[in-house]
Amino acid sequence: MIEKKSRSLLPLTLLIAAALSACSGRGAGNAVPEEGAPNPAADDGKEKLEISLLAPTFKGGGWPDNNHPTIQYLDKKFNIDLKVQWTPGSGYEEKLNVMAASGELPDLFIGYEDTFLKWQSQGVFVDLAPYLKDYPKLASEFPEDMMSILNPPGKIYGFPKYSEPYQASLIVREDWLNNLGLPKPDASKFTVDEFYRIAKAFAKDDPDGDGKADTVGFTLGAAVQDAGFDGGETLEAAFGLANGWKEADGKLVPRQTQSEEWKAYLGFLANAYKEGVLDRDFATNTGDIVKEKAGGGKLGITAQNFTLINRTNKQAQAIDPKAHFVPVAPPIGPSGLRGNAGQTVGDTKIVLNADISEQKRQRVLKLLDWWITEEGSNVMKDSVEGIMYETTSDGTVTLTERGKKEADSLAILNNWFFRSSSLKHDIHQWDDPKLTDEFIAFQNELAKYPWTNPGAPYVVYSPTYIKDAADLNTKFMATAMNIIVGREPVEDIDRAISEWRAGGGDDIIQEVNDAYAKRK
Amino acid sequence: MATTLSKRSTTLTPSASDLPERRRPPLASLKRMTPFYLMILPGLLFFLLFKYVPMLGVVIAFQNYNPFQGFQGSEWVGLQHFRELFQERDFLVLLRNTLWLNLLDLLLFFPIPIVLAVMLGELRSRRMSALIQTVMYAPHFLSWVVIVGVTFVLFSAQSGGVNQLLQAAGLPRLEVLTDPAAFRWVWLLQNIWQGSGWSAILFLAALASINPTLYEASRIDGAGRLRQIWHISLPGLKQLIVILFILRLGHFMDLGFEHILLLQNPLNMSTSDVFDTFVYRKGIVRGDFSYTTAVGLFKSLVGLLLVVMSNKLAARSGQEGVI
């Protein structure tokens, strides 16, 4: 009975962590260590340094150990012992919090927006501004606004993790459309009604022709932290919801207060759920489950980025050789609105732990400075020549047997941790050169239908947002999801809205607008 | 009853012969006992290091703890976090859910291993008994991730195996994974499936220690099986049941954290959100260490209170307690 379950060890873990860190606490006095002026000469590269790095993982996971050819290459080139720790992306901040509590933060890690903001005043990160003059590549690689976002004036506490402002496109199984005799959506006339007709046909008319009702029309992931659904972005835009925040009369308005738009959107989804067009498992979906369903040939409509589409097609073709997802324009809503979700870029930062020595700082900066050069980028995304790929005498590059086996995991440090702003950062040397043009065309197509979030740079300045937003949104979305599955009437969203406002939402609106007025 | 009493007095007699030893000189007894103290030492150190020293960490419940400034540097805020907790919008929801799950566990789970053990004890075939016992405690070695994963494979609303069968038969789907009303029962049934066989082992061991002559005597007196269970087996287990019950009450506010977290989704939050998952969300995910330590401390105090109270009650009703 006593040992029946592992009784909650959390408070205890916290206490142990706290007790340990008491010994390693920095004391208030030296919160911002100043160890003389930055000087590249502090590191002559002769001493072997151990550098720890915490990287997030997504589908496929990290490298099994620190003997990966890429890491060995870096170890040799920079005379370091690089220790990469991998942790699932969804639990990254959780991991950081635990490491912080036990005083064991890695040398190099990612600061996501609110952690980055919260910890910079604690002196956790190295101020990189004085170092930039010695590392011109790092200083000039990223656009000015990406560098400065979330940094106080004159300071640079981290380098942005570069990403394109538009990433995911709505994609549809073209072969399923053909099987059912449906035309491919025409961008100028593609409405949510047509979206619904296609989804319904995918769910009901056996698009894969196996005689079994085992396909779903479309699905959503429960990304409740943002008060929206993963994969539902284009629908949300069509129904007039803000991408987080929208500007009206010089004020920022959050999507949580858009009662009419929510009712229209939730009414649409509730109907889709009732008719079996929306995946009934949506409430328990995670992002990876949605990707599996698409790759596993069960799902005909979803949203993915350029790299993932190619990978999903390959996965789906293993089951059905004709399988082919093609990008389509976002659907047009009842009032003519449409859009692809634009992301705030630059709010994810690569940071250096302020506890590391001047020598180590210089070494890490050398590594990062090299990482974004063309030479460095090629290693970080393609790994090492002779092991993973070979160049033949006529100059063509091909994957080796090992490279083919590990093709999907070669670029993970580059994809998940840090990368250059080059348009080719996702294109490998062995890829068809046309792929770069396709990628540019894909990005241009997405950018035609902008749905931006003018509030994104300001939310982190709201203490109430940092403290309560996740909880408030969880509750808000619980009501929204109960409406979709038919347990509550659509009108109940008004109750959720007033609860959201009373529970802290009004404070968030006020604080975000204050920050907006001050900084815009 | 008379038989159990006489059994008890026989177990008490040896302690009387210990008495003269207490009169030895203290130094000599220390020397004699040294090996024993040495044997205790590792366990003692374990408890000191991992149970008592970390308790000092509760001071952060009274601070605005900041890991970068440590204990000394963090600001003292007194009872602010406790006030915040009792004013928390969700405090009553969390309390209600925590109490509900614990009551279910206590009333419906706790007796099952006892019943199982008694039933196994009545089996005539030893081999059969051993086989059933093994099969029943095997699930204990499965992690919650696996158990919840299998439940999802079977009961997902759209792709779950059971639901596909139901749909093929034209029956309505079971939405047990997202229905707030179903959550508690799913949780309880999984607990029973996973833990009851394992928990029965203790009771089986206690049953085995009951003097078989008691059963023989009762058979001669003409007692049937049910009478034997009622008058011999259960009284023999009474002491163990009381102790385990008191210990269980000490964990009254604790629930299997990862199990609940795995089953939790936005649709069943209204019944599945408990103090443990709240602490996880606020403390580990959001990094609010002080507040969550205050929640943990509150939980522990409730547990301590319940142990002391139930121990008193047990003592009053003539049973030995744990303290």
Side-chain angles (χ1 to χ4, degrees):
Chain A
M1 211 50 203
I2 316 157
E3 295 176 5
K4 181 169 60 81
K5 332 166 213 186
S6 72
R7 294 292 179 194
S8 166
L9 288 171
L10 272 174
L12 184 71
T13 320
L14 279 180
L15 296 183
I16 295 174
L20 289 174
S21 69
C23 319
S24 62
R26 290 178 199 180
N30 54 353
V32 186
E34 297 285 347
E35 298 173 16
N39 176 12
D43 177 35
D44 56 7
K46 281 192 186 128
E47 190 187 335
K48 195 175 177 80
L49 297 177
E50 186 183 306
I51 291 170
S52 57
L53 182 161
L54 184 69
T57 62
F58 300 91
K59 196 182 165 202
W63 293 328
D65 53 36
N66 282 320
N67 294 323
H68 191 272
T70 304
I71 294 180
Q72 284 179 339
Y73 184 92
L74 296 176
D75 284 355
K76 209 166 138 215
K77 183 166 177 66
F78 294 95
N79 192 21
I80 53 176
D81 181 9
L82 185 63
K83 298 249 190 267
V84 182
Q85 288 187 67
W86 304 93
T87 192
S90 54
Y92 192 87
E93 290 187 282
E94 175 185 335
K95 176 92 180 165
L96 269 188
N97 277 325
V98 173
M99 291 175 110
S102 56
E104 284 169 357
L105 280 177
D107 301 331
L108 194 59
F109 57 97
I110 292 180
Y112 290 101
E113 48 178 17
D114 51 335
T115 310
F116 180 69
L117 210 67
K118 202 159 61 176
W119 287 1
Q120 59 179 242
S121 57
Q122 310 285 346
V124 180
F125 314 132
V126 175
D127 177 16
L128 301 160
Y131 292 84
L132 290 180
K133 64 177 188 332
D134 299 314
Y135 297 95
K137 183 74 181 156
L138 280 171
S140 62
E141 177 75 8
F142 306 105
E144 181 52 35
D145 54 333
M146 278 180 88
M147 277 295 257
S148 60
I149 187 171
L150 302 182
N151 277 307
K155 307 261 187 200
I156 302 284
Y157 285 116
F159 299 112
K161 159 133 194 286
Y162 186 83
S163 59
E164 281 72 28
Y166 295 94
Q167 302 218 325
S169 169
L170 196 64
I171 54 173
V172 176
R173 276 286 286 264
E174 195 178 27
D175 56 312
W176 284 10
L177 288 174
N178 293 338
N179 289 351
L180 298 172
L182 293 165
K184 192 187 159 201
D186 173 359
S188 61
K189 285 180 296 202
F190 181 42
T191 60
V192 286
D193 292 334
E194 192 182 345
F195 174 94
Y196 192 81
R197 276 197 301 277
I198 293 175
K200 190 166 180 177
F202 280 2
K204 305 283 174 196
D205 299 345
D206 190 24
D208 54 356
D210 66 354
K212 279 184 262 173
D214 57 354
T215 50
V216 288
F218 70 108
T219 190
L220 302 168
V224 291
Q225 300 234 333
D226 311 320
F229 295 107
D230 224 0
E233 293 86 355
T234 54
L235 288 171
E236 286 161 17
F239 281 98
L241 285 169
N243 181 5
W245 296 75
K246 65 171 188 176
E247 194 180 3
D249 310 322
K251 287 264 182 198
L252 289 174
V253 180
R255 63 158 38 180
Q256 285 90 339
T257 57
Q258 295 179 282
S259 166
E260 292 313 308
E261 287 85 348
W262 273 111
K263 282 178 196 163
Y265 178 46
L266 294 175
F268 173 85
L269 292 178
N271 187 48
Y273 185 86
K274 200 173 76 190
E275 295 203 322
V277 177
L278 168 61
D279 181 10
R280 283 175 199 275
D281 293 338
F282 81 99
T284 50
N285 275 346
T286 61
D288 283 349
I289 294 181
V290 174
K291 285 175 203 154
E292 277 312 318
K293 284 183 176 172
K298 299 282 174 233
L299 177 63
I301 308 177
T302 186
Q304 290 188 344
N305 68 32
F306 186 75
T307 322
L308 210 54
I309 295 172
N310 291 328
R311 201 175 293 175
T312 305
N313 274 334
K314 252 186 252 162
Q315 199 186 340
Q317 277 154 12
I319 298 163
D320 177 357
K322 283 193 306 210
H324 189 49
F325 277 103
V326 289
V328 293
I332 306 166
S335 52
L337 293 167
R338 70 196 311 187
N340 287 313
Q343 298 182 343
T344 325
V345 286
D347 58 354
T348 298
K349 306 280 193 186
I350 283 68
V351 296
L352 271 66
N353 187 340
D355 271 352
I356 62 178
S357 67
E358 184 60 31
Q359 188 189 19
K360 209 189 241 187
R361 293 178 189 189
Q362 297 290 350
R363 193 77 62 91
V364 170
L365 288 168
K366 274 178 204 158
L367 166 67
L368 294 179
D369 197 53
W370 170 85
W371 189 319
I372 52 177
T373 61
E374 196 179 339
E375 182 206 341
S377 245
N378 280 344
V379 173
M380 298 315 293
K381 65 183 158 68
D382 299 344
S383 195
V384 183
E385 182 164 7
I387 299 177
M388 295 300 185
Y389 65 92
E390 291 160 335
T391 315
T392 50
S393 49
D394 62 349
T396 52
V397 180
T398 50
L399 281 165
T400 61
E401 282 307 309
R402 174 161 183 204
K404 275 180 201 149
K405 243 185 267 161
E406 298 176 24
D408 284 348
S409 72
L410 294 179
I412 52 179
L413 265 186
N414 203 57
N415 285 345
W416 297 338
F417 194 73
F418 187 55
R419 59 181 168 190
S420 79
S421 64
S422 155
L423 274 171
K424 292 186 167 187
H425 64 56
D426 272 351
I427 316 276
H428 301 286
Q429 293 170 73
W430 52 83
D431 283 333
D432 189 337
K434 275 195 314 209
L435 212 58
T436 315
D437 299 334
E438 279 175 31
F439 178 70
I440 295 168
F442 179 84
Q443 292 300 330
N444 289 342
E445 192 59 31
L446 283 178
K448 271 191 203 162
Y449 313 101
W451 183 51
T452 54
N453 181 1
Y458 308 105
V459 287
V460 286
Y461 296 104
S462 158
T464 317
Y465 176 88
I466 304 262
K467 194 163 156 282
D468 292 333
D471 243 21
L472 285 169
N473 288 340
T474 306
K475 253 174 249 139
F476 185 86
M477 290 311 283
T479 309
M481 290 164 96
N482 272 314
I483 291 171
I484 296 172
V485 300
R487 293 201 191 114
E488 288 182 50
V490 138
E491 289 69 34
D492 269 21
I493 200 68
D494 282 330
R495 186 181 45 75
I497 291 173
S498 52
E499 279 174 11
W500 182 85
R501 297 184 75 129
D506 278 333
D507 296 333
I508 293 177
I509 296 174
Q510 184 63 42
E511 290 160 4
V512 169
N513 272 295
D514 287 350
Y516 181 57
K518 211 161 68 185
R519 289 186 173 80
K520 71 174 167 188
Chain B
M1 278 319 274
T3 46
T4 43
L5 274 179
S6 68
K7 183 176 168 253
R8 176 175 279 205
S9 62
T10 53
T11 56
L12 279 175
T13 39
S15 65
S17 61
D18 285 345
L19 274 175
E21 291 193 11
R22 288 211 195 122
R23 288 183 200 128
R24 283 170 179 236
L27 210 69
S29 99
L30 189 72
K31 199 176 162 205
R32 201 177 65 94
M33 296 301 233
T34 307
F36 298 104
Y37 286 131
L38 280 178
M39 274 189 257
I40 295 170
L41 194 66
L44 205 64
L45 277 179
F46 170 84
F47 276 100
L48 272 178
L49 263 179
F50 293 104
K51 302 280 172 191
Y52 282 85
V53 172
M55 270 193 218
L56 298 175
V58 297
V59 294
I60 72 172
F62 307 96
Q63 289 182 328
N64 259 342
Y65 178 69
N66 175 336
F68 303 112
Q69 286 165 355
F71 286 143
Q72 297 93 344
S74 295
E75 176 199 0
W76 290 92
V77 294
L79 293 174
Q80 185 198 317
H81 296 302
F82 293 90
R83 275 195 288 275
E84 212 177 303
L85 169 64
F86 298 128
Q87 286 163 9
E88 182 71 44
R89 279 187 311 284
D90 295 331
F91 180 75
L92 285 177
V93 177
L94 293 171
L95 189 69
R96 190 196 63 200
N97 290 341
T98 309
L99 293 183
W100 245 107
L101 291 182
N102 266 303
L103 279 175
L104 282 182
D105 194 72
L106 208 57
L107 297 180
L108 298 181
F109 178 89
F110 188 82
I112 286 177
I114 304 171
V115 176
L116 269 182
V118 170
M119 278 163 56
L120 278 175
E122 292 300 312
L123 273 182
R124 287 212 193 280
S125 157
R126 282 296 116 201
R127 191 175 290 174
M128 197 62 189
S129 161
L131 180 76
I132 292 177
Q133 207 184 324
T134 311
V135 169
M136 286 206 321
Y137 77 62
H140 172 79
F141 298 101
L142 292 179
S143 80
W144 284 118
V145 181
V146 174
I147 296 173
V148 174
V150 169
T151 315
F152 268 76
V153 169
L154 290 176
F155 290 100
S156 277
Q158 178 96 29
S159 52
V162 171
N163 276 321
Q164 300 216 328
L165 286 178
L166 284 174
Q167 191 198 16
L171 295 166
R173 290 163 185 277
L174 284 173
E175 302 201 343
V176 291
L177 294 173
T178 54
D179 188 350
F183 166 78
R184 288 168 183 148
W185 303 105
V186 173
W187 177 84
L188 180 73
L189 286 173
Q190 286 183 336
N191 268 348
I192 292 175
W193 185 79
Q194 194 237 20
S196 53
W198 182 257
S199 308
I201 292 177
L202 269 181
F203 294 105
L204 272 173
L207 275 182
S209 71
I210 294 177
N211 192 341
T213 54
L214 294 176
Y215 290 102
E216 281 161 25
S218 68
R219 227 169 291 143
I220 290 164
D221 291 347
R225 290 221 150 188
L226 285 175
R227 288 230 155 246
Q228 285 181 357
I229 292 174
W230 188 250
H231 288 293
I232 304 170
S233 302
L234 284 179
L237 291 176
K238 198 162 144 198
Q239 182 67 23
L240 183 67
I241 294 173
V242 169
I243 287 179
L244 287 182
F245 192 78
I246 293 172
L247 289 176
R248 173 66 186 85
L249 279 178
H251 288 289
F252 192 68
M253 301 291 273
D254 290 343
L255 295 153
F257 154 76
E258 69 274 37
H259 183 194
I260 294 181
L261 192 75
L262 286 165
L263 281 173
Q264 200 170 66
N265 59 58
L267 285 175
N268 64 23
M269 278 292 263
S270 57
T271 53
S272 68
D273 204 14
V274 296
F275 283 114
D276 292 308
T277 51
F278 180 78
V279 165
Y280 167 77
R281 248 194 346 268
K282 291 266 175 180
I284 306 282
V285 182
R286 309 298 303 167
D288 197 348
F289 299 120
S290 284
Y291 184 46
T292 47
T293 307
V295 179
L297 192 58
F298 163 73
K299 272 177 44 190
S300 306
L301 287 178
V302 174
L304 183 68
L305 200 74
L306 282 169
V307 169
V308 173
M309 273 172 26
S310 50
N311 199 55
K312 280 240 169 75
L313 277 180
R316 194 171 294 172
S317 64
Q319 295 288 326
E320 276 175 54
V322 288
I323 306 171

